Amino acid sequence: MKKFEILLLEQASEISSEKVLNPEGFTAWTSPSNIAIVKYWGKRPGQIPANASLSLTLSKARTETSVTYTYDKSIKEPQLTFKFEGKTQDQFEKRIKKYLLEIRELLPWLNHTKLSIDSSNNFPHSSGIASSASAMSALALTLCDIEERMYGRKTAKDFMKKASFLARLGSGSASRSVYGNMAEWGMTSCRRESSDEFAIPVTGIHEDLLMLRDSILIIEAGKKKVSSSFGHDLMKSNPYAKLRFEAAEENMQRLCSVITGGDTGHFIDIMENEALSLHAMMMTSTPGFLLMKPNSLKAIEMIREYRRESGSQLGFTLDAGANVHVIYTKKSESKVKKFIESELKPLCENGLVIHDEMGGGPERMSEV
Ligand code: DP6
């Protein structure tokens, strides 16, 4: 067992013997999605990443989750009602129930608590924006908050670490959404505090790499064709997996100095290399997946050509899907936005482009 998990289990056993001070209450958090620059693709048992990853926390694409809780000693396992955008959603409810059962050893009060959860995204489900990162981080934050309210405890120092740990168990990339600007998850030799158990905030970011913009070209609206868990699983038999994990670590190390030094060109090179490597992994898995669409490739070529011609600081990245994230600096914003509107927008389904940017991370919506 890992170090922080042991600490959390000790904390859990201590808390079980404490008196519940506030058996009823309410909390609400909003938490953002994130876009990975170095990709997490492949994992080991216990939701341990095969390589470290680093992401930009978005500002606008968020999930808001509010939870009303009631502690009742006579209940013996977590009880839940779940509404997504005001409607009951059986599939999500089942996933959350399974998650609560998995984490109840760490939060033993869950066994005696009724939770009424309301969750909504401020971005369309079909937009291809990763909703598991924002949703699972928002949920983890509300759970940590409920624990503090219930027991009148303050674990302030470890609050975010614990939220990131719990978010990770729900969805790996969610561990990174707990922090603003940039976050890193997974052991990497370039950061001493890094951990496979939780994400850490990236500090010392050069001002040129702060406030990066992310305009998401919706090349294909609709559901992802490959679920992340299936995709991670494919890496177990991918013949290039070992090389990929080593390359990701090299990219993490390069990024470390690039982020503090502010070498935007190098940052863009690494980001694009990572996106193409992720898709190469999908193409070389069995079965193999071609997730880019002709318009994704067109967009990539046009972004590169425009960069060569204009000298603007922009590049692309993709998740496990066809949509293209155009990442650019605040300095190049006005020119790049014009280029996106006139040249790239026509490549998008119904001309949909979602303009987002780096943001400050989750926020508590309820009173303390
Ligand atoms: C391509 O975090 O969605 O977006 O841990 O199984 O929930 P699970 O996977 P998930 O995988 C994200 C994959 C990715 C890359 C990334 O965000 O790092």
Side-chain angles (χ1 to χ4, degrees):
M1 202 181 291
K2 302 262 183 189
K3 250 166 65 195
F4 192 58
E5 184 170 9
I6 295 174
L7 197 92
L8 290 182
L9 286 169
E10 283 168 7
Q11 221 182 60
S13 95
E14 241 174 65
I15 223 168
S16 321
S17 59
E18 284 179 22
K19 194 171 170 332
V20 171
L21 299 177
N22 299 304
E24 281 175 18
F26 170 83
T27 179
W29 282 77
T30 93
S31 189
S33 182
N34 68 71
I35 176 71
I37 303 300
V38 173
K39 307 290 183 184
Y40 147 56
W41 198 243
K43 58 175 148 180
R44 293 184 270 132
Q47 194 73 343
I48 299 300
N51 60 266
S53 57
L54 185 143
S55 54
L56 302 188
T57 305
L58 297 180
S59 169
K60 295 179 190 151
R62 305 177 82 89
T63 298
E64 184 175 328
T65 297
S66 53
V67 186
T68 306
Y69 70 88
T70 312
Y71 181 89
D72 176 350
K73 194 72 191 164
S74 67
I75 301 173
K76 296 294 174 222
E77 70 167 37
Q79 283 191 9
L80 164 75
T81 59
F82 179 81
K83 280 194 184 151
F84 182 70
E85 286 168 4
K87 294 190 196 108
T88 48
Q89 246 279 2
D90 287 351
Q91 220 185 324
F92 287 170
E93 185 168 316
K94 271 193 200 130
R95 182 168 169 191
I96 291 172
K97 180 74 193 262
K98 186 167 165 272
Y99 171 67
L100 296 177
L101 289 170
E102 276 164 15
I103 61 168
R104 61 185 168 161
E105 224 187 321
L106 297 162
L107 305 176
W109 50 268
L110 274 176
N111 280 322
H112 313 294
T113 303
K114 283 185 199 161
L115 299 173
S116 168
I117 306 177
D118 275 282
S119 193
S120 57
N121 292 344
N122 66 354
F123 50 91
H125 188 52
S126 58
S127 67
I129 295 179
S131 59
S132 68
S134 52
M136 295 316 290
S137 54
L139 181 60
L141 285 157
T142 59
L143 294 176
C144 291
D145 202 357
I146 289 173
E147 182 169 272
E148 292 206 339
R149 283 161 195 263
M150 231 182 219
Y151 292 95
R153 256 178 174 247
K154 280 271 163 273
T155 50
K157 188 172 128 293
D158 277 346
F159 185 91
M160 287 312 209
K161 209 170 174 180
K162 184 166 177 173
S164 177
F165 182 101
L166 292 172
R168 173 196 117 232
L169 296 178
S171 178
S173 54
S175 66
R176 299 183 310 236
S177 275
V178 163
Y179 296 107
N181 296 329
M182 289 185 193
E184 185 268 317
W185 168 46
M187 287 286 281
T188 164
S189 63
C190 67
R191 276 176 221 278
R192 241 182 338 117
E193 341 72 90
S194 66
S195 168
D196 286 340
E197 297 185 271
F198 47 80
I200 54 171
V202 173
T203 52
I205 304 170
H206 190 278
E207 60 175 336
D208 289 353
L209 291 169
L210 278 171
M211 295 190 277
L212 287 174
R213 299 333 201 200
D214 177 10
S215 293
I216 310 164
L217 311 178
I218 309 300
I219 302 290
E220 185 186 51
K223 279 194 177 168
K224 284 203 259 185
K225 300 241 168 16
V226 184
S227 78
S228 302
S229 37
F230 183 68
H232 289 293
D233 230 40
L234 289 175
M235 286 303 276
K236 289 186 185 144
S237 56
N238 186 301
Y240 305 106
K242 189 167 172 283
L243 285 175
R244 159 66 198 150
F245 302 144
E246 285 166 9
E249 173 58 16
E250 273 173 33
N251 279 339
M252 284 299 291
Q253 288 180 21
R254 286 194 196 114
L255 261 190
C256 251
S257 50
V258 164
I259 285 173
T260 44
D263 182 346
T264 314
H266 205 157
F267 180 87
I268 290 169
D269 286 346
I270 297 170
M271 173 175 79
E272 295 189 350
N273 172 271
E274 277 289 318
L276 297 178
S277 302
L278 170 72
H279 281 254
M281 288 303 106
M282 275 175 304
M283 288 184 213
T284 53
S285 289
T286 310
F289 288 92
L290 244 182
L291 299 178
M292 283 190 224
K293 296 286 163 200
N295 278 358
S296 321
L297 286 173
K298 263 192 203 151
I300 290 173
E301 283 176 347
M302 287 166 72
I303 289 165
R304 287 185 157 175
E305 198 181 311
Y306 176 76
R307 181 169 67 223
R308 265 195 308 274
E309 284 170 0
S310 69
S312 295
Q313 294 173 319
L314 79 163
F316 67 85
T317 186
L318 295 97
D319 265 343
N323 298 336
V324 178
H325 292 244
V326 190
I327 310 286
Y328 48 101
T329 56
K330 186 169 184 273
K331 269 189 214 156
S332 340
E333 181 169 17
S334 60
K335 275 193 190 166
V336 172
K337 262 206 170 141
K338 275 187 204 134
F339 160 67
I340 292 174
E341 290 299 315
S342 65
E343 308 293 324
L344 300 179
K345 204 180 167 87
L347 301 175
C348 301
E349 195 169 323
N350 302 319
L352 184 59
V353 179
I354 298 177
H355 296 290
D356 209 330
E357 60 194 46
M358 217 156 132
E363 278 169 31
R364 194 200 307 262
M365 308 292 287
S366 50
E367 279 170 35
V368 184

